[in-house]
Amino acid sequence: MREIGVPHPRPPLPAADSEDDMAAFLAWLGEAIPMVPALGIREMTRDGDGLAWSLSLTPSLNDKGTGFGGALAAQTTLLGWCWTTLWLRRHGLARDVVVAEASQRFLAPVTGDYRLTCEPEAAGGPEALAERLAQRGKGRIALVQRLWCGDTLCLEARGDYAVLPDG
């Protein structure tokens, strides 16, 4: 049981020659953030610079039988946090990440199970983050999340994620 004000221990960094096991990371995330098991995440996958979740709509239904905007916004924010945290882990860094700014644009109702994707807003975003971390010990990256219901883009979100100084 999580306690207010007590940080959850970070999982160990992956070995230098391997990447995170997505299922193990998702299990850790469910322990670290109690609401995660209720989000309906079925799978987390990495595709190049992107990260994606496959989700069931049922846990996020609203009174109209479509996706509840607040739940979808929380999911986009958390996926960006995961992208940043996993990027840091691939670079051998265990650091704290916080969302600094987030916005969503709802384009169509979410009427079934869906896929949520996350990628850097700018092609050079990860390199710029690495440079800022090396120079200042902290940095920020802009990420874009998109929610797809089949071929329909239902939601676009953007978030700035800050990597805090070590210690």
Side-chain angles (χ1 to χ4, degrees):
M1 169 93 102
R2 291 294 319 278
E3 292 183 39
I4 295 171
V6 178
H8 191 71
R10 292 182 182 131
L13 289 171
D17 59 348
S18 66
E19 292 198 2
D20 274 294
D21 173 339
M22 293 290 101
F25 182 81
L26 197 53
W28 170 84
L29 190 64
E31 294 170 5
I33 303 174
M35 71 182 258
V36 167
L39 295 179
I41 303 167
R42 295 189 304 217
E43 182 183 29
M44 180 166 57
T45 56
R46 186 177 289 127
D47 181 19
D49 253 355
L51 186 64
W53 284 346
S54 295
L55 297 106
S56 171
L57 175 58
T58 304
S60 298
L61 284 172
N62 64 17
D63 59 316
K64 295 160 209 55
T66 60
F68 173 58
L72 304 176
Q75 292 167 1
T76 62
T77 302
L78 183 57
L79 183 58
W81 181 92
C82 287
W83 187 100
T84 309
T85 298
L86 289 166
W87 182 90
L88 288 165
R89 291 173 58 76
R90 282 196 317 271
H91 291 83
L93 301 169
R95 303 284 287 279
D96 285 330
V97 174
V98 296
V99 62
E101 184 178 334
S103 62
Q104 301 82 32
R105 208 174 87 200
F106 296 87
L107 305 168
V110 178
T111 57
D113 294 347
Y114 53 99
R115 181 171 169 80
L116 191 56
T117 64
C118 180
E119 62 189 13
E121 183 176 60
E127 294 79 13
L129 175 59
E131 186 177 311
R132 283 189 294 278
L133 289 171
Q135 290 175 352
R136 296 187 293 202
K138 62 182 181 176
R140 205 165 160 151
I141 188 165
L143 300 172
V144 175
Q145 299 88 19
R146 292 182 179 91
L147 188 154
W148 299 89
C149 211
D151 293 331
T152 303
L153 178 60
C154 298
L155 166 64
E156 263 187 334
R158 183 192 176 285
D160 286 343
Y161 294 83
V163 179
L164 303 179
D166 199 15

